[in-house]
Amino acid sequence: MVAGCGSDDGYTQPSAPATSAPVTTGPAQPATTTVSVDKMKFSPSAITIRAGDTVTWKFSDSAPHGVQGIGDTALGINSPILTEGEWNHTFTTPGTYRYLCPLHPDMRGTVTVR
Ligand SMILES: [Cu+2]
């Protein structure tokens, strides 16, 4: 008697993943990371991205907020004051970028670019 593994009757092969999708073997494609600005805080407050990536701040609090870089290295980070909508910044140079909300200096965040 042969020990069976159960009948394969009715078993349907899962459809193979499409092979037409390009396989990326090089450096990662530029990505976008979203930071929500809500309830008086940046969330997540600390993120790590790759050089060339974009960060989108999504404003959805009842209070107005902004994104303002701290220090010389973060000079380019300077959003309008917003209560809704989004603001993007693309980070091209590795480093650590700290920022705050100019209206609520206790609201702070950090972007680490690798
Ligand atoms: Cu604020």
Side-chain angles (χ1 to χ4, degrees), residues 37 40-42 61 63-66 100-105 107:
V37 187
M40 300 297 289
K41 63 179 200 244
F42 297 109
D61 206 351
H65 301 295
L100 52 67
C101 170
L103 300 182
H104 312 102
M107 287 176 64

Side-chain angles (χ1 to χ4, degrees), residues 39-97:
K39 299 182 173 65
M40 300 297 289
K41 63 179 200 244
F42 297 109
S43 172
S45 61
I47 59 174
T48 299
I49 62 173
R50 292 169 183 271
D53 286 356
T54 297
V55 178
T56 297
W57 282 268
K58 197 167 182 189
F59 297 81
S60 56
D61 206 351
S62 51
H65 301 295
V67 177
Q68 185 177 86
I70 302 171
D72 291 347
T73 56
L75 271 182
I77 304 171
N78 205 348
S79 83
I81 301 296
L82 298 168
T83 54
E84 60 180 9
E86 298 178 353
W87 183 75
N88 304 310
H89 185 78
T90 300
F91 293 79
T92 55
T93 307
T96 300
Y97 301 84

